[in-house]
């Protein structure tokens, strides 16, 4: 446990970098009985009952969920973790910068920022009936007459300046779990819970020089995670300490009957003391398709140095491998992810919860107006893209094609590993296959905020080119910081071999 | 007009599972007393972060239907999303099965024998799929608002689509009746069209012209009327040399069909495979054998069995089969009356007399209306001539309408009403007694006699018989009066 930060200091740091969308009160810290507890933040696209769940979108502004996500439940019931607040993200997870938030941008704590983004805090409270799980139970926003029947929830909500200045040398924090990574990087928490659809944990972890772990798809329950693209969404952990990631992963690695994609208990490969045979080295594959032309020479150099170090200390052998479909991963990913998003976000019509425009005309129904005003520009763009892919014009030529490319990519990844894919027990295994793939997390260090904002949208999507393949394949992948500020590398393994990745990361650190 | 009619049906059926399709809330829509939005879980109103979980009972019910309709059940089927915005569609899409349905390629046979058609006809079933029902919109026209009740949201439906194999309206009517009965028999649906448990859309065309879809027609009689109207309308359009609008959707206002939408404003539903619901994988050989074991005998088998075991006419069997409670009642009564008391088959007493009394009194059948034992006693009293048939029928009517007397000893009632033919048995001079009464009645009803004798209204004799029965307090059989009255009237011509 690192030293707990008092509320004033937390507010001060948060005001600079705009990390939290809400901060729980009272802040659990300092007093000795809590000093043994781990402090955690949770991304604001996980449902919690103690503060709003907004997905950093206007359309869910002030929405309070009547139930907790499985992840929040496990952590709070463990007795060893305190959640101190919820972190900012690119609206609904759509972005890789955490600049696309209804609640202002999150900045990268590794870089100095002289001005505050947040100008103050409002203290909010609401009351919910004790022991009530009814959908019709009201949430009170004023103190009830018989408080004994109610639970009181208090939280701080940041107020954002309209005229904030961002330091010209400020670099993006990455996204979409930018708030999560920033909460770890600025030592406000011991670990952060985030979600990763195409790199949303690994990229900000890389940009903030922290460990960011995206487990195998289905390994941690998604119940209560507001979906962006369910076939890719995963729950993961960011921390400065690899042992802590292992510890929290072990806690969260349980089957959840509420999540239809939760991996069955008998398919969960457990932890082992050691994963290598005596005298054997780990085989590491380097897919030639990751040697991208637009990778900065600096990054490529650090990659070589990293691999060289590991080889010199007799931990690994290196093999060039080929996964041809990596080349088409980016367009396949953006086709699928936007299609799923356009479908998932169609429930936000303002009728049952969240923001409602109250404006309509004879030609424009209210839900259209609500969605136009409630969603940010990037979200609207992705909904439109996805709507096209699913339309009768785009279905075969775009959506189905992307589906096929994805299954080809899954098979190619499967065939390069020597371990057996948990979900394809009948496939032949490749005895000559590799244990891990190692590649950079990003093609460059994070762009300057001022440059990123000017970038063409499609060019900004290219930042995801190294993280997307593992998302499409659903395989466990860890960002491990190496090579200086905002640089990191991904360790990938066969689907289901989550503990093997964590074990290997520990070995790597011992040898660096 | 001799244009060839061609019809296909698309039927949505609510399955009566205990819980909803993808959530744990109760499936209570058939109860009209359920308070709006009281049977709603987080998933049913699509709260962010909720996920669907398939209720296996739905699969069980749907498989029974697929087997009953001789379909090919697929070892793997999947769920898809059908997108459209509507206030009572909380997800913004409906979870259904489009690309990989549960079952395809079945058939249902309509027959001369059981369905009363002029000839047998096989109706091919194209597809059976599982899908969600929507919520219900209640339009408040004065306020210009809409209330939404999500109790129906996420109730399991099966959508069944037939091939366009119907060539007459009569076939359509028989099919709907047969389908509803079949699902009742399988115990998977209430079988009611009126409550919306079964909803029928009709595709109709004439002579290979473009088809028209008729939607939201509430009852079988309405479907028949709408089809008749639409057939005539399309024939007229064709004969006038115009074209039938391509793939038009029409509604029914009770008198005529009217356009709802045409091809130009068709919706692009943007179907996509659901990205999180797992495929349904079945070891079909094993599962279907198990399903078949749980299935009751088919309606036709049951009808055959009834005809054989109880020596019944098809017409009576049809009446019994239309109400499972009635059938059960009859079977019990039969066991008592024929098995125990060795009397005649009570079928006519049940379908004519008992049901006649019940419908005259505008009641619904229930086995409490006349306990089986009481009915059997009544019939035994008729058999041993304690009661005349006529009095027995009067007593039956009395029991149906006076619930307080239903369980009283029957003989006491017979005596109290002075109906006991044995107690004051008609003496040796019964014949002259009958003659006497008849003469009296004819004398007191000259108008009626005039009607019968001079105007030939022979049916009015029943009135006179009734008067005679009254005179003798029902102690003499009506048939005896008829003979004597006939004789006396004949003498007056």
């Amino acid at each position: 446990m690192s030293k707990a930060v008092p509320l004033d200091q937390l507010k001060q740091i948060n005001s600079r970098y705009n990390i939290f969308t809400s901060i729980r009160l009272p802040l659990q810290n300092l007093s000795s009985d809590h000093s043994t507890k781990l402090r955690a933040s949770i991304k604001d696209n996980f449902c919690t009952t103690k503060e709003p769940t907004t997905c950093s979108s206007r359309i869910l502004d002030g929405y309070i969920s009547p139930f907790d996500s499985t992840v929040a439940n496990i952590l709070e019931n463990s007795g060893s973790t305190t959640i101190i607040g919820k972190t900012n993200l690119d609206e609904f997870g759509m972005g890789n910068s955490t600049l696309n938030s209804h609640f202002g941008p999150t900045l990268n704590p590794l870089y100095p920022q002289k001005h505050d983004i947040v100008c103050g805090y409002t203290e909010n409270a609401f009351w919910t009936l004790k022991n009530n799980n009814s959908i019709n139970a009201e949430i009170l926003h004023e103190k009830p007459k018989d408080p004994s029947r109610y639970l009181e929830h208090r939280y701080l909500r940041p107020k954002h300046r309209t005229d904030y200045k961002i330091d010209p040398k400020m670099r993006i924090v990455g996204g979409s779990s930018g708030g999560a990574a920033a909460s770890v990087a600025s030592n406000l928490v011991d670990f952060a819970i985030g979600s990763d659809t195409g790199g949303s944990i690994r990229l900000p972890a890389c940009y903030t020089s922290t460990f960011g772990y995206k487990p195998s798809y289905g390994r941690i329950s998604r119940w209560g995670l507001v979906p962006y693209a369910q076939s890719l969404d995963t729950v993961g952990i960011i921390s400065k300490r690899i042992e802590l990631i292992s510890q929290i992963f072990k806690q969260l690695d349980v089957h959840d009957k509420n999540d239809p994609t939760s991996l069955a208990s008998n398919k969960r490969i457990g932890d082992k003391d050691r994963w290598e045979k005596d005298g054997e080295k780990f085989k590491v594959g380097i897919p030639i398709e990751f040697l991208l032309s637009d990778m900065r020479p600096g990054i490529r150099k650090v990659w070589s140095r990293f691999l060289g170090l590991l080889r010199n200390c007799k931990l690994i052998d290196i093999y060039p491998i080929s996964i041809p479909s990596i080349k088409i991963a980016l367009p396949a990913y953006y086709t699928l992810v936007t299609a799923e998003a356009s479908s998932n976000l169609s429930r936000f019509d303002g009728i049952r919860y969240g923001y409602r425009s109250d404006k309509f005309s004879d030609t424009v129904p209210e839900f259209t107006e609500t969605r136009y005003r409630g969603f940010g520009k990037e979200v609207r763009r992705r909904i439109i893209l996805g709507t096209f892919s699913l339309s009768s014009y785009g279905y075969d030529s775009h959506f189905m094609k992307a589906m096929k490319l994805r299954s080809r990519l899954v098979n190619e990844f499967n065939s390069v590993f020597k371990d057996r894919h948990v979900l394809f027990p009948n496939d032949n295994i490749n005895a000559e296959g590799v244990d891990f793939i190692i590649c950079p997390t990003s093609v460059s260090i994070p762009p300057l905020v001022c440059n990123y904002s000017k970038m063409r949208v499609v060019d900004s999507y290219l930042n995801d080119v190294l993280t997307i393949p593992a998302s499409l394949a659903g395989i466990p992948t860890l960002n491990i910081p190496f090579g200086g500020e905002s640089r990191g590398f991904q360790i990938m393994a066969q689907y289901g071999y989550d503990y093997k990745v964590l074990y290997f990361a520990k070995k790597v650190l011992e040898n660096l | 007009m001799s244009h060839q009619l061609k019809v296909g049906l698309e039927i949505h059926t609510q399955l009566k599972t205990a819980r909803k399709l993808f959530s744990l809330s109760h499936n209570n829509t058939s109860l009209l007393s359920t308070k709006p939005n009281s049977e709603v879980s987080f998933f049913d109103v699509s709260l962010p972060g909720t996920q669907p979980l398939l209720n296996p009972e739905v699969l069980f019910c749907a498989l029974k239907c697929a087997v009953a309709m001789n379909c090919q059940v697929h070892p793997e089927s999947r769920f898809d999303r059908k997108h459209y915005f509507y206030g009572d569609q909380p997800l913004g899409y409906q979870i259904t099965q489009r690309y990989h349905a549960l079952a395809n390629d079945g058939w249902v046979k309509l027959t001369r024998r059981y369905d009363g058609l002029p000839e047998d006809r096989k109706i091919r079933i194209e597809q059976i799929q599982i899908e969600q029902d929507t919520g219900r919109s209640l339009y408040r026209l004065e306020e210009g608002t809409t209330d939404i009740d999500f109790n129906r949201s996420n109730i399991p439906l099966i959508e069944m689509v037939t091939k366009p194999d119907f060539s007459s309206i009569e076939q359509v009517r028989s099919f709907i009746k047969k389908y509803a009965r079949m699902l009742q028999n399988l115990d998977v649906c209430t079988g009611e069209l009126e409550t919306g448990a079964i909803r029928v859309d009709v595709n109709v065309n004439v002579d290979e012209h473009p088809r028209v879809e008729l939607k939201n027609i509430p009852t079988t009689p309405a479907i028949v009327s709408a089809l008749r109207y639409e057939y005539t309308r399309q024939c007229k359009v064709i004969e006038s040399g115009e074209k039938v609008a391509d793939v038009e959707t029409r509604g029914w206002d009770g008198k005529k069909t009217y356009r709802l939408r045409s091809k130009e404003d068709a919706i692009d539903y943007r179907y996509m495979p659901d990205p999180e619901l797992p495929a349904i994988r079945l070891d079909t050989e094993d599962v279907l054998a198990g399903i078949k074991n749980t299935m009751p005998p088919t309606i036709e088998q049951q009808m055959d069995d009834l005809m054989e075991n109880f020596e019944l006419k098809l017409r009576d069997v049809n009446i019994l089969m239309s109400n499972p409670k009635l059938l059960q009642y009859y079977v019990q009564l039969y066991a008592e009356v024929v098995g125990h008391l060795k009397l005649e088959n009570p079928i006519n007493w049940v379908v004519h007399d008992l049901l006649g009394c019940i419908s005259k009194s505008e009641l619904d059948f229930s086995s409490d209306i006349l306990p089986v034992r009481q009915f059997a006693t009544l019939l035994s009293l008729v058999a041993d001539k304690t009661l005349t048939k006529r009095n027995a029928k009067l007593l039956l009517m009395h029991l149906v309408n006076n619930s307080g007397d239903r369980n009283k000893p029957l003989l006491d009632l017979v005596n109290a009403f002075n109906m006991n033919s044995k107690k004051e048995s008609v003496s040796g001079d019964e014949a002259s007694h009958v003659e006497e009464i008849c003469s009296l009645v004819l004398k007191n009803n000259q108008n009626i006699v005039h009607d019968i004798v001079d105007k030939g209204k022979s049916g009015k004799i029943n009135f006179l018989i009734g008067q005679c029965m009254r005179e003798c307090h029902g102690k003499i059989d009506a048939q005896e009066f008829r003979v004597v009255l006939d004789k006396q009237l004949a003498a007056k011509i």
Side-chain angles (χ1 to χ4, degrees):
Chain A
M1 272 98 316
S2 50
K3 196 168 150 285
V5 179
L7 184 59
D8 283 348
Q9 202 181 330
L10 187 148
K11 278 157 88 173
Q12 207 180 348
I13 295 170
N14 186 65
S15 296
R16 270 294 132 92
Y17 291 96
N18 191 33
I19 297 164
F20 288 93
T21 50
S22 52
I23 298 163
R24 268 187 204 177
L25 292 177
L27 184 67
Q28 305 284 332
N29 64 2
L30 293 180
S31 64
S32 56
D33 54 321
H34 286 116
S35 61
T36 56
K37 276 202 178 184
L38 293 166
R39 279 163 302 122
S41 67
I42 186 160
K43 192 176 177 180
D44 201 8
N45 56 352
F46 287 86
C47 292
T48 54
T49 51
K50 295 189 169 133
E51 60 273 285
T53 298
T54 69
C55 297
S56 291
S57 178
R58 183 183 190 193
I59 210 150
L60 279 175
D61 195 2
Y63 170 71
I64 292 165
S65 171
F67 67 96
D68 278 302
S69 54
T70 299
V71 174
N73 258 331
I74 295 176
L75 291 177
E76 297 201 277
N77 294 339
S78 73
S80 55
T81 296
T82 304
I83 295 170
I84 67 159
K86 296 182 82 174
T87 56
N88 200 12
L89 61 145
D90 286 305
E91 186 176 353
F92 283 103
M94 299 184 187
N96 51 26
S97 64
T98 316
L99 302 177
N100 302 325
S101 163
H102 179 57
F103 304 109
T106 296
L107 303 182
N108 192 332
L110 298 193
Y111 302 89
Q113 162 76 3
K114 296 190 196 74
H115 307 279
D116 280 350
I117 290 178
V118 173
C119 57
Y121 294 85
T122 50
E123 190 178 324
N124 296 329
F126 61 94
W127 288 263
T128 52
L129 270 175
K130 282 177 184 167
N131 308 319
N132 194 307
N133 217 22
S134 159
I135 194 138
N136 292 318
E138 266 186 84
I139 290 168
L140 304 179
H141 292 274
E142 271 165 36
K143 193 163 188 169
K145 291 193 182 97
D146 44 351
S148 61
R149 292 173 56 225
Y150 289 84
L151 288 173
E152 184 186 68
H153 310 280
R154 289 190 300 128
Y155 64 96
L156 289 180
R157 187 179 160 159
K159 282 189 293 190
H160 304 93
R161 303 179 72 102
T162 48
D163 58 344
Y164 58 78
K165 287 196 195 80
I166 296 174
D167 200 281
K169 294 210 173 113
M170 174 56 69
R171 293 185 179 273
I172 64 167
V173 69
S176 63
S177 309
S183 71
V184 172
S186 53
N187 298 315
L188 299 178
V189 295
D190 296 296
F191 70 92
I193 295 295
S195 66
D196 187 315
T197 306
S200 286
I201 282 180
R202 290 160 286 156
L203 196 69
C206 170
Y207 287 174
T208 57
S209 294
T210 53
F211 294 95
Y213 189 36
K214 177 203 97 72
S216 299
Y217 178 78
R219 195 96 196 209
I220 300 182
S221 168
R222 288 190 298 109
W223 173 257
L225 166 64
V226 182
Y228 166 17
Q230 288 103 329
S231 77
L232 295 137
D233 292 341
T234 55
V235 179
I237 309 153
I238 300 173
S239 177
K240 287 191 172 176
R241 291 156 53 212
I242 189 71
E243 320 83 70
L244 198 51
I245 287 190
S246 298
Q247 180 191 326
I248 300 304
F249 175 70
K250 210 169 237 176
Q251 242 175 45
L252 300 176
D253 174 28
V254 282
H255 174 72
D256 180 7
K257 62 171 176 38
N258 287 326
D259 174 0
T261 59
S262 178
L263 191 64
S265 298
N266 62 4
K267 298 214 164 97
R268 289 172 189 256
I269 298 173
D271 200 1
K272 278 195 207 170
D273 289 340
R274 44 181 306 158
W275 288 86
E276 76 274 48
K277 288 191 189 125
D278 277 330
E280 256 182 43
K281 287 187 268 184
F282 287 113
K283 290 171 134 183
V284 169
I286 308 299
I288 50 172
E289 292 79 10
F290 276 138
L291 298 163
L292 299 163
S293 57
D294 46 1
M295 185 178 288
R296 292 296 157 84
I299 298 287
R300 195 178 286 200
K301 235 180 262 170
V302 185
W303 189 6
S304 305
R305 184 149 60 87
F306 185 49
L307 293 171
L309 271 172
L310 298 179
R311 187 165 50 188
N312 291 345
C313 61
K314 309 248 186 300
L315 185 65
I316 63 167
D317 279 331
I318 295 167
Y319 299 84
I321 56 171
S322 174
I323 301 175
S325 299
I326 284 178
K327 288 197 161 148
I328 48 76
L330 196 74
Y333 170 82
Y334 272 97
T335 305
L336 295 176
V337 92
T338 53
E340 288 184 33
S342 76
S343 172
N344 290 327
L345 268 54
S346 38
R347 70 184 59 193
F348 298 104
D349 53 15
I351 293 177
R352 283 145 291 126
Y353 45 79
Y355 166 78
R356 182 167 186 164
S357 72
D358 287 324
K359 289 195 171 59
F360 54 89
S361 67
D362 289 344
T363 48
V364 182
E366 191 179 7
F367 77 84
T368 304
E369 203 56 40
T370 297
R371 289 166 65 79
Y372 180 76
R373 290 161 189 261
F375 290 132
K377 206 173 167 190
E378 180 60 19
V379 173
R380 293 203 305 271
R381 184 189 343 268
R382 294 195 189 194
I383 289 174
I384 291 167
L385 274 172
T387 301
F388 174 77
S389 304
L390 292 178
S391 72
S392 44
Y393 308 103
Y395 188 77
D396 289 328
S397 58
H398 291 66
F399 183 78
M400 278 318 289
K401 198 168 173 189
M403 290 279 273
K404 282 178 195 141
L405 292 176
R406 182 181 185 183
S407 43
R408 198 199 292 168
L409 181 105
V410 168
N411 290 332
E412 287 175 15
F413 264 100
N414 183 24
S415 67
V416 301
F417 290 114
K418 79 170 180 207
D419 296 308
R420 197 184 283 279
H421 195 298
V422 191
L423 299 181
F424 307 133
N426 300 325
D427 284 9
N428 292 327
I429 53 167
N430 176 3
E432 302 297 305
V434 299
D435 294 284
F436 302 104
I437 291 169
I438 294 182
C439 73
T441 305
S442 168
V443 290
S444 67
I445 59 164
L448 294 169
V449 171
C450 53
N451 287 343
Y452 186 90
S453 311
K454 283 180 242 155
M455 211 184 268
R456 282 173 50 214
V457 177
V458 174
D459 289 338
S460 76
Y461 293 177
L462 293 174
N463 282 5
D464 301 332
V465 68
L466 292 168
T467 50
I468 277 168
S471 289
L472 287 170
I475 59 178
T477 307
L478 177 81
N479 173 71
I480 184 164
F482 180 81
E485 212 161 56
S486 296
R487 291 172 180 87
F489 291 86
Q490 299 181 90
I491 300 170
M492 306 172 188
Q494 175 63 292
Y495 180 86
Y497 286 78
D498 297 77
Y499 289 105
K500 189 171 174 178
V501 171
L502 296 168
Y503 172 85
F504 180 64
K506 212 175 77 191
K507 286 276 160 195
V508 168
L509 292 174
E510 284 167 12
N511 281 291
L512 287 179
Chain B
M1 290 185 294
S2 61
H3 298 286
Q4 182 53 53
L5 175 75
K6 193 154 116 186
V7 177
L9 300 179
E10 220 179 278
I11 305 185
H12 289 87
T13 309
Q14 283 185 342
L15 300 177
K16 56 170 197 184
T17 51
R19 291 169 193 269
K20 291 187 179 181
L21 175 52
F22 293 119
S23 72
L24 289 175
S25 31
H26 297 274
N27 174 0
N28 278 349
T29 46
S30 51
L31 306 175
L32 294 171
S33 55
T34 310
K35 202 177 141 221
N37 295 312
S38 62
E39 280 301 342
V40 172
S41 69
F42 298 152
F43 177 77
D44 302 333
V45 284
S46 309
L47 293 192
T50 55
Q51 295 174 282
L53 277 182
L54 178 64
N55 173 1
E57 194 192 353
V58 173
L59 186 59
F60 178 63
C61 292
L63 284 172
K64 277 173 140 181
C65 299
V67 170
M69 288 183 263
N70 308 294
C71 289
Q72 287 290 318
V73 174
H74 300 295
E76 184 174 309
S77 61
R78 292 173 178 276
F79 289 101
D80 302 301
R81 294 177 176 184
K82 174 185 183 180
H83 298 85
Y84 63 94
F85 285 102
Y86 205 78
D88 56 23
Q89 175 58 278
L91 284 164
Y93 54 84
Q94 177 194 35
I95 303 180
T96 176
Q97 296 189 301
R98 176 181 166 91
Y99 296 113
H100 302 276
L102 181 71
N104 291 93
D105 301 326
W107 52 265
V108 170
K109 202 166 169 190
L110 298 175
T111 59
R112 237 169 73 114
R113 179 168 166 76
Y114 301 102
D115 304 296
L117 288 172
E119 55 187 19
D120 288 4
R121 188 157 186 101
K122 200 171 181 180
I123 305 299
R124 289 168 300 158
I125 306 297
E126 189 168 306
Q127 181 153 313
I128 292 181
Q129 65 198 43
I130 300 173
E131 61 187 33
Q132 295 175 298
D133 210 339
T134 62
R136 199 194 292 269
S137 293
L138 305 154
Y139 305 100
R140 307 255 173 244
L141 294 177
E142 321 83 69
E143 287 98 30
T145 58
T146 305
D147 290 348
I148 302 176
D149 178 6
F150 289 104
N151 283 347
R152 201 177 71 175
S153 169
N154 194 29
I155 293 239
L157 296 177
I158 52 168
E159 182 183 317
M160 188 276 296
V161 184
T162 74
K163 297 270 188 198
D165 283 351
F166 300 91
S167 58
S168 77
I169 295 173
E170 216 25 65
Q171 290 165 5
V172 174
R173 190 212 299 267
S174 305
F175 183 88
I176 296 171
K177 184 175 157 200
K178 183 169 202 136
Y179 179 79
R181 247 194 208 183
M182 183 160 69
L183 268 61
Q184 272 175 335
N185 183 44
L186 295 173
D187 200 27
V188 298
C189 176
T190 60
E192 297 157 337
L193 273 77
E194 299 76 16
T195 59
I198 294 182
R199 285 164 249 161
V200 183
D201 295 338
V202 185
N203 281 305
V204 48
N205 71 345
V206 179
D207 294 344
E208 306 298 320
H209 286 274
R211 71 184 163 84
V212 167
E213 187 182 25
L214 304 177
K215 260 187 155 15
N216 307 331
I217 320 178
T219 62
T220 312
I223 290 165
V224 168
S225 311
L227 255 177
R228 278 205 190 109
Y229 179 92
E230 189 57 22
Y231 175 66
T232 315
R233 187 189 72 85
Q234 290 187 27
C235 290
K236 277 184 192 155
V237 171
I238 292 160
E239 279 162 15
S240 70
E242 287 172 46
K243 274 189 177 170
V244 178
D246 201 5
V247 203
E248 192 179 48
T249 303
R250 297 176 75 88
W252 172 248
D253 68 3
K255 291 199 177 91
K256 57 184 192 322
T257 64
Y258 60 97
R259 197 175 79 171
L260 288 171
R261 40 167 205 269
S262 52
K263 201 182 184 183
E264 301 85 70
D265 34 48
I267 303 163
D268 189 341
Y269 289 119
R270 289 171 286 127
Y271 284 97
M272 75 177 270
D274 189 281
E276 65 182 339
L277 274 164
I280 299 171
R281 292 200 175 83
L282 299 170
D283 176 348
T284 39
E285 208 171 304
D286 192 40
V287 171
L288 296 183
I291 296 275
K292 276 175 195 152
N293 278 334
T294 69
M295 306 242 301
T298 65
I299 300 278
E300 285 83 356
Q301 280 164 1
Q302 291 178 39
M303 289 170 88
D304 282 343
D305 289 351
L306 283 173
M307 282 189 272
E308 196 180 313
N309 298 339
F310 298 89
E311 294 175 356
L312 295 176
K313 293 190 199 99
L314 186 63
R315 198 188 56 215
D316 294 329
V317 167
N318 252 316
I319 294 170
L320 294 178
M321 292 291 292
S322 67
N323 185 341
K325 279 190 222 149
L326 178 67
L327 176 59
Q328 196 192 7
Y329 181 84
Y330 169 75
V331 171
Q332 285 172 1
L333 184 68
Y334 184 92
E336 193 75 18
V337 173
V338 182
H340 239 151
L341 304 172
K342 311 291 175 204
L343 303 177
E344 271 177 33
N345 192 336
I347 185 66
N348 287 335
W349 279 97
V350 173
V351 298
H352 296 141
D353 301 306
L354 179 64
L355 290 186
C357 289
I358 286 174
S359 77
K360 237 182 245 166
S361 309
E362 296 185 335
L363 297 169
D364 285 327
F365 173 79
S366 133
S367 54
D368 314 330
I369 283 183
L370 184 59
V372 166
R373 188 159 291 264
Q374 194 77 322
F375 204 165
T377 311
L378 182 88
L379 295 181
S380 71
L381 290 179
V382 175
D384 73 6
K385 303 225 180 236
T386 306
L387 265 175
T388 61
K389 271 194 180 170
R390 179 180 162 83
N391 276 340
K393 287 174 190 178
L394 289 170
L395 193 53
L396 187 65
M397 181 63 109
H398 174 82
L399 291 170
V400 166
N401 288 304
N402 296 277
S403 52
D405 283 353
R406 280 174 201 164
N407 292 304
K408 281 190 183 156
L410 199 64
L411 202 54
D412 291 0
L413 288 173
V414 170
N415 291 331
F417 292 140
N418 234 346
M419 287 176 168
N420 194 328
S421 313
K422 279 190 177 165
K423 217 172 183 179
E424 288 177 47
S425 63
V426 183
S427 59
D429 59 350
E430 180 188 309
S432 65
H433 191 55
V434 172
E435 298 254 349
E436 222 170 89
I437 291 174
C438 289
S439 307
L440 182 70
V441 167
L442 289 179
K443 199 174 133 201
N444 291 342
N445 293 283
Q446 292 294 336
N447 294 344
I448 306 292
V449 173
H450 172 72
D451 282 352
I452 297 171
V453 175
D454 300 329
K455 295 186 181 169
K457 294 185 177 174
S458 55
K460 291 208 169 179
I461 194 168
N462 288 324
F463 175 79
L464 298 176
I465 296 171
Q467 294 300 308
C468 294
M469 294 300 285
R470 180 186 274 183
E471 281 298 317
C472 74
H473 301 294
K475 280 171 222 146
I476 298 169
D477 201 278
Q479 194 52 35
E480 294 189 33
F481 284 118
R482 180 185 293 276
V483 172
V484 174
L485 281 172
D486 271 344
K487 208 163 66 191
Q488 292 191 358
L489 285 166
K492 288 182 193 275
I493 291 173

